[in-house]
């Protein structure tokens, strides 16, 4: 008995170490792992086909797109929490931004350990808060007429804690298009066809984007759904983008082209940018095992 007792006492110092380092052993895989991609396309509509590659517009003008590129800075994946008053903190179901709650604290997505009391105080303020769960850098120009999925990475990581992605926020940093317009009315408001070009770009990380788009998501990250999430984000432009443009009011340049970047065409440019800002990206989600 003395030998057994001595052995227990000699190993007793290991118990506090095991308790202190328990987080490292208990920390498991995330609730979901994203496999994100992005694609942008200009999509003609069969019901608007006016022949020769032209699409009918609501204004009775007809437009053909010859080239089109959209530049994206990045896409934020957002989750919402709170709303309507105080929220009670439940360690078994951490709020967005936290995971793996035990021993009086939770693991924050930032890597910090946050006490239960601090999380409860954060939730107790009421109101709805939006958390950026992941940022998807794109920093590329996508061909609208030759759409192809582009795989993306995640910052800080594609592995998510317990949350539900509710929205995607897209930063459009550039849009370039060329094409031609003709009038479908008789008598026509102008003769023949008018070539056009449009360029909207920004430079620098701090520059205001050409447009910030918002698209709904419903992607739970939990133990009730398969963990692998193939997230296909899509931005689709159609001829409806040009429905509000009065092409008969556009000024033709000395080169015979309607340059929508020219000050004389500011009203036409503004109408087009307003339609761009109203675009809603979509997402296709498929799930599977790791």
């Amino acid at each position: 008995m003395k030998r057994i007792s001595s052995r227990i006492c000699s190993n007793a110092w290991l118990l506090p170490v095991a308790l202190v380092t328990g987080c490292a052993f208990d920390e498991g895989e995330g609730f979901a792992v994203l496999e994100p991609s992005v694609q942008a396309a200009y999509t003609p509509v069969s019901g608007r086909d006016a022949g020769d590659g032209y699409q009918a517009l609501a204004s009775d003008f007809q437009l053909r797109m010859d080239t089109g590129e959209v530049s994206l800075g990045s896409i934020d994946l957002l989750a919402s929490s709170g709303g309507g008053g105080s929220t009670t903190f439940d360690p078994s179901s951490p709020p967005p931004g936290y995971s793996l709650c035990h021993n009086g604290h939770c693991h924050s997505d930032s890597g910090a350990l946050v006490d239960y009391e601090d999380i409860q105080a954060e939730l107790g303020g009421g109101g709805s808060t939006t958390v950026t769960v992941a940022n998807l850098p794109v920093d590329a120009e996508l061909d609208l007429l030759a759409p192809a999925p582009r795989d993306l990475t995640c910052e800080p990581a594609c592995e998510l804690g317990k949350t539900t992605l509710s929205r995607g926020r897209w930063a459009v940093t550039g849009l370039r298009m060329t094409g031609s317009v003709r009038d479908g009315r008789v008598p026509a408001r102008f003769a023949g066809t008018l070539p056009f070009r449009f360029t909207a770009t920004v430079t620098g990380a701090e520059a205001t984007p050409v447009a910030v788009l918002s698209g709904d998501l419903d992607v739970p990250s939990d133990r009730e759904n398969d963990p692998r999430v193939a997230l296909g984000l899509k931005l689709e432009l159609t001829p409806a983008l040009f429905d509000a443009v009065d092409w008969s009011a556009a000024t033709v340049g000395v080169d015979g082209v309607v340059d929508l970047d020219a000050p004389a065409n500011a009203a036409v440019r503004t109408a087009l940018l307003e339609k761009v800002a109203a675009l809603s990206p979509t997402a296709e989600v498929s799930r599977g095992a790791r």
Side-chain angles (χ1 to χ4, degrees):
M1 290 295 294
K2 184 179 294 185
R3 181 176 300 175
I4 295 175
S5 176
S6 174
R7 186 179 302 165
I8 292 175
C9 291
S10 65
N11 292 330
W13 66 274
L14 293 173
L15 294 176
V17 175
L19 292 174
V20 170
T21 60
C23 288
F25 295 121
D26 292 342
E27 187 172 4
E29 296 176 320
F31 288 81
V33 178
L34 296 178
E35 296 176 357
S37 64
V38 67
Q39 178 175 313
Y42 173 76
T43 306
V45 179
S46 59
R48 290 177 176 246
D49 186 9
D52 302 322
Y54 285 85
Q55 291 273 289
L57 307 180
S59 56
D60 292 331
F61 293 110
Q62 299 171 358
L63 180 140
R64 185 184 69 203
M65 181 87 78
D66 294 330
T67 66
E69 296 86 23
V70 61
S71 297
L72 300 176
S74 65
I75 302 171
D76 290 326
L77 302 181
L78 310 176
S80 298
S81 64
S86 178
T87 302
T88 301
F89 168 63
D90 180 4
S92 66
S93 181
Y98 298 96
S99 62
L100 192 61
C101 297
H102 59 167
N103 296 338
H105 63 249
C106 295
H107 291 256
S108 168
D109 287 350
S110 67
L113 298 178
V114 183
D115 292 338
Y116 288 174
E117 293 80 5
D118 293 336
I119 299 175
Q120 179 61 65
E122 178 182 339
L123 296 176
S128 178
T129 59
T130 300
V131 179
T132 300
V133 176
N135 174 266
L136 313 180
V138 184
D139 297 323
E141 187 175 70
L142 308 180
D143 191 337
L144 294 171
L145 301 186
R150 183 185 184 92
D151 292 337
L152 302 177
T153 59
C154 312
E155 294 182 356
C158 287
E159 191 162 302
L160 305 181
K162 184 174 174 60
T163 187
T164 297
L165 302 181
S166 59
R167 187 158 55 93
R169 183 173 59 204
W170 300 49
V172 178
T173 56
L175 183 61
R176 298 191 299 164
M177 298 179 290
T178 65
S180 60
V181 181
R182 66 189 185 189
D183 196 356
R185 290 184 184 176
V186 178
R189 285 160 286 186
F190 58 80
T193 61
L194 290 178
F196 73 88
R197 61 173 170 261
F198 172 83
T199 303
T201 59
V202 296
T203 57
E206 302 301 322
T208 301
V210 171
V212 177
L213 310 181
S214 180
D216 291 337
L217 296 172
D218 184 11
V219 183
S221 172
D222 52 30
R223 296 303 187 211
E224 285 70 49
N225 292 274
D226 289 334
R228 185 173 61 82
V229 181
L231 181 63
L233 301 168
K234 295 187 176 183
L235 177 61
E236 183 179 66
L237 284 65
T238 71
L241 183 70
F242 302 94
D243 279 344
V245 176
D246 182 3
W247 293 97
S248 64
T251 299
V252 181
V254 294
D255 58 355
V257 177
V258 176
D259 185 357
L260 298 184
D261 305 326
N265 291 319
V268 177
R269 178 185 177 87
T270 298
L272 184 56
L273 286 174
E274 287 176 352
K275 295 288 285 187
V276 171
L279 293 172
S280 295
T282 60
E284 291 185 0
V285 179
S286 62
R287 309 188 72 127
R290 290 182 186 271

